[in-house]
Amino acid sequence: MSYPADSKPLTILIAADTYPPNVNGAAQFGYRLAKGMSGRGHEVHVLAPRASNGRSYTEPGGDWTVHRLRSHSVPTHDYWRICLPWEIKRDISLLFDRVQPDVVHIQCHYMVGEYTLYEAVKRGIRVVATNHFMPENLNPFLPFPAWLKRIVAKNSWKDMGKVMSKAAAVTTPTPLAAKAMHDHAFLREVLPVSNGIDSAAYELQPGEVIEPHEHPTVLFVGRLAEEKHIDVLIDAVAKTPEHLRVHLEVVGGGEVKPALQAQAARLGIGDRVVFRGLIDDDELRKSYIRASVFCQPGTAELQSLVTLEAMSASTPVLLANAMALPHLVSDGENGYLFTPGDSDELGRRITEILELSQEDRQKMGAASRELVGKHDITATLATFEGLYYGTLRADLDAGSFTPEAAREPSGTAFSG
């Protein structure tokens, strides 16, 4: 047990607008947070939308308890679900009566996070708020003109500030994201806390042998969505020298998959681009280890857990020079940044890494593994535990972003 000697274990309610079986960084963080806090001796409850139609209910079994709220599908997204306030407010209140949480940790300022926070504040329960989203993440799913999307984004930032300002502590995965929240949501103090990762889980184990691919392979893992710019990566692979026979492995599902498949065929590399869809954790780990280089061309990443996973597997990385991705690259040591959208530059960087000797590529991979050490999940869990108890003050003890800092040089139903 890791809680302070003079404090009891906590009952923690984690409210998330996306959670497994959804596949994205925020959903995975919510799962790992629940698993980590349960492992540290706390009673953990997760509140999230259900993945299908029906009433709110509580899932049976599990090392922690997952409660699912009534939700509705979104026509522009293959798995995202929304919860309507008038359908969930009473269910959330009933769940508070039943669970009696000591602390609430919301993962978003949208419906589930917002109304869980309001209920906690009304009852005088401590709230920690974490933001995993940029309003721009919604753009591909909004059938609006650009000017209207800008209005939606501005209002989303405004709502974020209104909701999260009521929390005792506000966090986000990176300093850059914290600055964006200060500038656009007008939140004065935001603590950067890495999503964290169990790096050892992605390493080769003693005696384990995983054969590399027959051909040099670039790996992408993530949602096949517009803001990930996988089309740029496909273009880049097509521009690498023919003698290298560069292959691309794409792991994940999403709405742009048919267009990406058509693009690969049109460029004449359909036989070198493999779309694997969703795979289990064991297969994903092997993909990271087998890959010659990992690429994240996305431009709306608040941290990129998949990049941390690839680095944990000692894989060189090529990342778009956008949002939080530059924090994960020591240029020339564990990989390179490239100009977002520039397939020519990306193609040259892929070629540069793949033409290195095996020894030099291994050095790059080892540098990735060393750099990821500061994102250890143990430190992340300890930080959130301190915020839950109130023994860690986000404004003084943990280096939160402030405007002053920016100037420094450095199955049972639970409702009726």
Side-chain angles (χ1 to χ4, degrees), residues 320-350:
N321 190 6
M323 285 302 296
L325 294 176
H327 292 273
L328 302 179
V329 173
S330 180
D331 215 44
E333 293 186 22
N334 72 314
Y336 296 99
L337 297 171
F338 65 91
T339 304
D342 190 337
S343 61
D344 291 331
E345 182 184 358
L346 178 55
R348 289 194 300 270
R349 288 302 194 186
I350 292 172

Side-chain angles (χ1 to χ4, degrees), residues 131-149:
N131 177 52
H132 298 279
F133 296 94
M134 299 294 285
E136 290 76 12
N137 294 144
L138 298 176
N139 283 349
F141 314 111
L142 299 177
F144 305 145
W147 65 268
L148 186 51
K149 289 182 179 181

Side-chain angles (χ1 to χ4, degrees), residues 75-102:
T76 56
H77 199 288
D78 59 349
Y79 69 72
W80 194 269
R81 311 277 298 185
I82 61 170
C83 297
L84 302 177
W86 55 89
E87 291 182 341
I88 65 171
K89 289 171 69 175
R90 179 171 180 268
D91 289 355
I92 291 173
S93 179
L94 289 169
L95 184 64
F96 270 77
D97 290 341
R98 174 178 157 189
V99 171
Q100 296 290 309
D102 298 305

Side-chain angles (χ1 to χ4, degrees), residues 91-394:
D91 289 355
I92 291 173
S93 179
L94 289 169
L95 184 64
F96 270 77
D97 290 341
R98 174 178 157 189
V99 171
Q100 296 290 309
D102 298 305
V103 64
V104 166
H105 189 170
I106 69 168
Q107 305 299 307
C108 183
H109 71 284
Y110 295 122
M111 296 300 182
V112 176
E114 178 180 10
Y115 288 98
T116 303
L117 176 141
Y118 289 160
E119 188 67 27
V121 170
K122 183 172 69 175
R123 296 174 182 238
I125 297 171
R126 184 175 178 82
V127 179
V128 174
T130 295
N131 177 52
H132 298 279
F133 296 94
M134 299 294 285
E136 290 76 12
N137 294 144
L138 298 176
N139 283 349
F141 314 111
L142 299 177
F144 305 145
W147 65 268
L148 186 51
K149 289 182 179 181
R150 287 193 290 271
I151 293 174
V152 171
K154 183 177 180 179
N155 286 334
S156 184
W157 282 117
K158 182 179 178 181
D159 288 342
M160 182 191 297
K162 181 186 73 171
V163 173
M164 292 194 169
S165 64
K166 300 179 186 299
V170 180
T171 79
T172 195
T174 64
L176 187 64
K179 183 178 186 304
M181 292 169 68
H182 172 266
D183 292 346
H184 301 293
F186 307 110
L187 289 162
R188 181 170 176 79
E189 292 165 351
V190 182
L191 172 63
V193 182
S194 173
N195 284 329
I197 189 166
D198 180 6
S199 302
Y202 298 90
E203 297 175 334
L204 273 174
Q205 300 304 305
E208 182 182 26
V209 177
I210 296 177
E211 295 295 335
H213 292 288
E214 181 181 355
H215 301 283
T217 300
V218 182
L219 174 66
F220 169 85
V221 178
R223 177 168 173 75
L224 309 190
E226 181 182 316
E227 75 271 17
K228 299 295 185 180
H229 302 294
I230 309 155
D231 58 322
V232 176
L233 176 54
I234 292 174
D235 278 343
V237 169
K239 293 173 180 177
T240 57
E242 181 63 30
H243 73 271
L244 287 177
R245 296 295 293 169
V246 178
H247 283 54
L248 172 61
E249 181 178 355
V250 178
V251 174
E255 63 280 353
V256 301
K257 180 178 179 179
L260 297 175
Q261 291 173 316
Q263 177 189 4
R266 185 173 65 252
L267 293 172
I269 59 170
D271 61 333
R272 291 194 275 140
V273 181
V274 178
F275 292 87
R276 297 196 61 193
L278 302 178
I279 59 178
D280 63 29
D281 289 343
D282 184 57
E283 282 299 307
L284 178 59
R285 172 180 172 272
K286 291 176 182 176
S287 289
Y288 287 130
I289 293 172
R290 288 193 181 109
S292 308
V293 60
F294 176 85
C295 182
Q296 173 54 271
T299 55
E301 304 297 313
L302 279 187
Q303 182 165 54
S304 185
L305 272 175
V306 292
T307 301
L308 292 178
E309 290 169 353
M311 292 169 65
S312 297
S314 299
T315 305
V317 296
L318 287 170
L319 310 179
N321 190 6
M323 285 302 296
L325 294 176
H327 292 273
L328 302 179
V329 173
S330 180
D331 215 44
E333 293 186 22
N334 72 314
Y336 296 99
L337 297 171
F338 65 91
T339 304
D342 190 337
S343 61
D344 291 331
E345 182 184 358
L346 178 55
R348 289 194 300 270
R349 288 302 194 186
I350 292 172
T351 302
E352 183 177 349
I353 290 179
L354 295 182
E355 287 185 335
L356 291 172
S357 67
Q358 183 177 356
E359 180 183 2
D360 285 341
R361 282 204 307 272
Q362 287 176 340
K363 287 180 180 177
M364 268 195 166
S368 276
R369 180 63 183 84
E370 183 176 353
L371 285 169
V372 85
K374 63 183 179 182
H375 297 280
D376 185 76
I377 187 67
T378 303
T380 296
L381 294 173
T383 298
F384 280 118
E385 199 172 51
L387 294 174
Y388 294 165
Y389 280 112
T391 57
L392 175 67
R393 288 183 56 191

